[in-house]
Amino acid sequence: MTPPVVLLDLDGCLTDAAPGIVGCVRHALAGLGAPDPGDAVLRTFLGPPLHESFARIGVDPEPAVALYRERYREVGITELEVYDGIVDLLAGLRADGSRLCLATSKPEVFARRILTATGLSLDEAVGSELDGSRSRKADVIAEALRRLDASPSDAVMVGDRAEDCVGALAWGVGFVGAGWGYGLPGELAGAGAAQVAARPLDLLQVLRSGTLTAG
């Protein structure tokens, strides 16, 4: 039986936003006169909160995030594609009666713009604040459950990075990994994910199986 509430990550789960994110990180680093760390490091920005990612490479997060958003607001936000199978996945979950909620570390104001632009319809969208608060996935999940007035036992989180799994585990929420996203090999399993779906329609079958476990 499909879970009553399905929480879905955005980047690396519903959309491939890598070109926009990487382009905006490069814009920020160039604006600060910081060296380009290369593609491998830049891909680590796909998923985690921006403030943490810039700090991790030794760059002051406040001016870096401001420069990132300078490009992102008008250009980067458009540089994405909806993954194949996502529209059918959402339609299948709706047909099963699930409530769908976006749960992303991206600022909520940008996340809602992306949903509108892509035509993806969900019942609620929860993200971080522009000041960086509520950027941890556990905090996003808690706010999503509050807005939906949902019990953790009725919900499942779908995401592609370790933090998605750790955030779900913190609240006793079921978790299924989005294996088509940005997670490194073994990342989700290492975070405690018992199930990882290779494709969106595989995910639909997992969610319908009724065999989900927390975290």
Side-chain angles (χ1 to χ4, degrees):
M1 183 175 66
T2 308
V5 173
V6 180
L7 310 177
L8 298 142
D9 186 32
L10 181 59
D11 299 336
C13 182
L14 299 183
T15 62
D16 180 4
I21 294 172
V22 170
C24 291
V25 173
R26 281 200 162 108
H27 173 82
L29 295 176
L32 294 173
D36 188 315
D39 291 343
V41 173
L42 290 172
R43 285 193 67 83
T44 67
F45 280 75
L46 303 175
L50 276 176
H51 287 77
E52 294 180 10
S53 294
F54 280 116
R56 188 178 61 249
I57 64 169
V59 174
D60 187 348
E62 294 304 322
V65 170
L67 285 168
Y68 176 100
R69 289 176 179 162
E70 177 181 86
R71 182 181 187 276
Y72 186 80
R73 284 187 176 92
E74 301 303 327
V75 180
I77 197 170
T78 69
E79 296 175 321
L80 58 79
E81 294 183 356
V82 176
Y83 284 111
D84 289 343
I86 290 298
V87 172
D88 290 338
L89 166 66
L90 300 182
L93 291 172
R94 283 199 177 282
D96 290 349
S98 295
R99 287 189 292 165
L100 309 178
C101 178
L102 192 69
T104 176
S105 294
K106 186 183 293 295
E108 188 171 312
V109 62
F110 294 146
R112 289 182 178 273
R113 281 180 58 187
I114 289 168
L115 290 181
T116 298
T118 57
L120 297 176
S121 177
L122 286 82
D123 298 295
E124 181 58 272
V126 180
S128 64
E129 300 291 352
L130 286 170
D131 64 4
S133 60
R134 202 172 65 221
S135 61
R136 303 302 304 175
K137 190 51 64 80
D139 297 333
V140 172
I141 290 172
E143 177 64 11
L145 295 174
R146 186 193 69 79
R147 291 190 196 178
L148 295 171
D149 191 24
S151 167
S153 62
D154 288 334
V156 61
M157 176 73 209
V158 179
D160 65 308
R161 301 305 305 266
E163 186 178 77
D164 298 317
C165 184
V166 172
L169 183 63
W171 292 105
V173 169
F175 180 80
V176 180
W180 58 90
Y182 305 135
L184 300 174
E187 177 179 340
L188 291 171
Q195 295 162 300
V196 178
R199 302 175 303 165
L201 291 184
D202 295 332
L203 172 65
L204 184 59
Q205 297 308 311
V206 171
L207 293 175
R208 285 172 169 169
S209 71
T211 60
L212 299 175
T213 57

